[in-house]
Amino acid sequence: MFQKQFDAYCFDDIPEKRFGVICAGVQSGKTFTGTLWSGKKMLEFPKGTGIIAAPTYKILQQATTKKFFEMFPELRVGYKEQKGEIELPTGGVVYVRSMDNPYGAEGITANWWWLDEGGMSSVNAWTVLRSRVSMTGGKGLITTTPYNMGWLYLDFYKPAKEGKDKSLSFFSWKSIENPYFPKDYYEAERRRLRPEEFARRYEGEFMKMTGLVWDIPDTQIIDEKEIMTKAEARIMGVDWGWENPAAIVVLYLYDKCWYVVDEWKQSHRTTAEIIQVIKNKVVEKKITQIFADPAEPDRIQECRNTGLPMMETNKDVKGGISNIQQLIREKRFYVFNNCKEFIEEASMYHYPEPDEDKESKDLPFPFNNHLCDSVRYAAYSFAPVNINQPQASQPILPYYPELGI
């Protein structure tokens, strides 16, 4: 191990440090360090409980547990893949979980946890995992590349660097600091990639993604403030889901500005469950209009049957996107900082790289955009022309001074 790896491996030797992040370049030894740290915790709690997690089942199988069993092959015999458990010969157990459904880790009381590639997981994964060690005083480690400037940046990096949360430790290093990483490849990638992409992938630095659809300035992500009584409109956007999560946002209009004030996002929820959440928020937030994904009219009708104020949703995707873009430019679009999942989505909501072999559709990359869609449905459908959009100019009339026209 090189020195920075060793420092990260030992972060929890300081009693007040509960949670650590290794946010470093690709192939820099992050997963290696996470695996070694897990081994240390298994020795520390031989009869205890641990959790090893990754953002998706694919990453869990192809990277995280693969590295774990390469380093601890003797533990493979105790791996019950269907149950997601590793039974340790010492009497302890390690639960193996995919964070595409973070609530799969609920109910576990753990002594430690390790989340690999945590920057790809939602803020719910962080919330659930840290709560799993609340009763034991246990510790957790996240290893990742900085994919975006979402919850990991806002909830971990900034509080750690600014000294606002003494329980957090943050470590970062470049890919090239791994003595086995090829220098020629590192330099070739530096020449090939945009500077911000290279810094993110190979230098472990937080950078905004290129091609963001909605580049929301930090100054427009604000603390919660009381505008309920002043709001001129209180509306909701809904994106249906099952395997992909259902998503709900609440927006307030005040002084010609939109505020994203509340959110909800979960997978594997039935229509009845989603409708109940909608009804609860309608009462809590005094919602007067709801704009839902028009692709599922049967679900919209179910909502209407319960008396919910369902409105017609504008289907114009490009127009809805452009509407939010202009609101952001005009400083008329704000997000309460409690809406962490929307902030996370927006930080990754981007246009795909241009492909010379394909015709560009000028539409965002269709991944993890459910809250973004909900915002678009609501803000654009409530008033499709709620900004000063350019109007077509009138034809120029002939000018004849002698005739007075």
Side-chain angles (χ1 to χ4, degrees):
M1 299 176 77
F2 51 89
Q3 187 61 50
K4 289 185 179 179
Q5 272 185 312
F6 185 74
D7 291 344
Y9 170 79
C10 297
F11 89 91
D12 56 322
D13 291 350
I14 302 172
E16 69 176 0
K17 299 299 184 183
R18 295 285 308 279
F19 306 107
V21 162
I22 299 172
C23 189
V26 299
Q27 298 293 303
S28 64
K30 305 181 301 294
T31 303
F32 173 82
T33 309
T35 302
L36 278 182
W37 185 83
S38 298
K40 180 177 75 169
K41 304 312 281 186
M42 287 187 290
L43 289 174
E44 186 178 343
F45 300 99
K47 295 185 180 297
T49 300
I51 302 172
I52 293 176
T56 66
Y57 183 79
K58 189 173 182 179
I59 292 174
L60 193 64
Q61 294 300 308
Q62 296 183 359
T64 311
T65 55
K66 180 181 178 183
K67 176 61 71 176
F68 181 84
F69 288 125
E70 283 176 2
M71 297 185 68
F72 303 110
E74 69 279 6
L75 298 181
R76 185 179 287 277
V77 67
Y79 184 30
K80 312 298 182 185
E81 187 171 353
Q82 292 299 317
K83 295 173 67 176
E85 297 177 8
I86 304 171
E87 296 177 355
L88 303 178
T90 56
V93 61
V94 177
Y95 292 98
V96 181
R97 292 291 184 268
S98 169
M99 289 292 105
D100 50 5
N101 178 19
Y103 301 102
E106 291 281 27
I108 301 173
T109 299
N111 301 102
W112 60 271
W113 55 261
W114 166 39
L115 173 60
D116 193 28
E117 295 300 346
M120 292 179 64
S121 298
S122 72
V123 68
N124 282 341
W126 164 235
T127 301
V128 169
L129 285 173
R130 64 177 291 157
S131 70
R132 297 305 87 212
V133 293
S134 58
M135 295 296 293
T136 63
K139 305 198 175 186
L141 176 67
I142 298 172
T143 52
T144 190
T145 297
Y147 293 96
N148 56 62
M149 296 181 71
W151 70 266
L152 191 65
Y153 175 76
L154 295 171
D155 283 11
F156 208 112
Y157 174 77
K158 289 185 73 175
K161 288 299 183 183
E162 294 169 4
K164 293 180 178 178
D165 190 338
K166 300 296 184 183
S167 71
L168 307 179
S169 291
F170 188 89
F171 303 89
S172 183
W173 57 79
K174 302 176 182 180
S175 299
I176 200 67
E177 292 181 71
N178 177 352
Y180 298 101
F181 196 92
K183 291 182 175 59
D184 55 346
Y185 184 82
Y186 184 82
E187 294 302 329
E189 287 293 271
R190 187 199 299 276
R191 292 189 295 271
R192 185 179 73 87
L193 297 172
R194 295 188 182 96
E196 60 271 21
E197 179 69 13
F198 179 79
R200 187 168 58 245
R201 288 187 59 81
Y202 293 98
E203 297 188 324
E205 296 181 11
F206 283 103
M207 293 281 178
K208 288 189 174 183
M209 294 185 73
T210 55
L212 284 178
V213 178
W214 298 334
D215 189 357
I216 306 171
D218 289 346
T219 54
Q220 288 171 237
I221 298 173
I222 61 175
D223 293 334
E224 296 180 58
K225 62 181 183 179
E226 182 53 53
I227 60 171
M228 169 75 83
T229 57
K230 302 175 183 177
E232 298 146 23
R234 295 178 290 275
I235 66 174
M236 177 185 290
V238 179
D239 193 41
W240 309 107
W242 173 252
E243 194 64 46
N244 287 321
I248 296 170
V249 292
V250 175
L251 291 92
Y252 289 171
L253 180 65
Y254 171 63
D255 195 21
K256 299 182 180 179
C257 297
W258 282 111
Y259 293 83
V260 180
V261 303
D262 194 20
E263 66 181 7
W264 178 88
K265 178 180 174 181
Q266 287 190 22
S267 6
H268 303 130
R269 290 292 178 264
T270 64
T271 301
E273 289 172 322
I274 297 168
I275 289 175
Q276 188 58 57
V277 174
I278 293 172
K279 292 172 78 172
N280 291 345
K281 290 194 178 294
V282 164
V283 173
E284 178 190 354
K285 302 295 184 182
K286 296 183 170 55
I287 303 299
T288 59
Q289 297 184 37
I290 302 171
F291 303 91
D293 180 1
E296 301 203 39
D298 291 347
R299 285 175 141 178
I300 293 175
Q301 188 58 50
E302 282 190 56
C303 289
R304 287 199 175 108
N305 293 343
T306 68
L308 288 169
M310 308 303 293
M311 313 301 291
E312 291 298 319
T313 301
N314 193 309
K315 301 178 183 179
D316 182 0
V317 178
K318 291 182 181 179
I321 288 171
S322 178
N323 177 44
I324 302 295
Q325 287 171 336
Q326 187 159 342
L327 289 169
I328 292 170
R329 285 195 300 270
E330 295 176 351
K331 294 182 171 53
R332 294 172 52 214
F333 185 86
Y334 294 88
V335 183
F336 282 8
N337 57 15
N338 63 300
C339 297
K340 298 181 187 298
E341 293 209 68
F342 173 70
I343 294 169
E344 179 83 6
E345 275 197 18
S347 73
M348 299 183 71
Y349 190 43
H350 68 285
Y351 293 106
E353 291 283 339
D355 188 336
E356 294 180 358
D357 298 327
K358 294 181 180 179
E359 181 182 353
S360 173
K361 296 182 179 179
D362 199 29
L363 291 173
F365 188 72
F367 174 75
N368 193 27
N369 57 357
H370 315 290
L371 289 164
C372 290
D373 282 349
S374 299
V375 166
R376 173 171 58 81
Y377 298 147
Y380 193 51
S381 301
F382 176 77
V385 189
N386 62 2
I387 55 179
N388 296 322
Q389 297 183 6
Q391 303 295 318
S393 59
Q394 297 298 317
I396 298 175
L397 299 174
Y399 179 63
Y400 300 105
E402 66 277 15
L403 298 179
I405 60 172

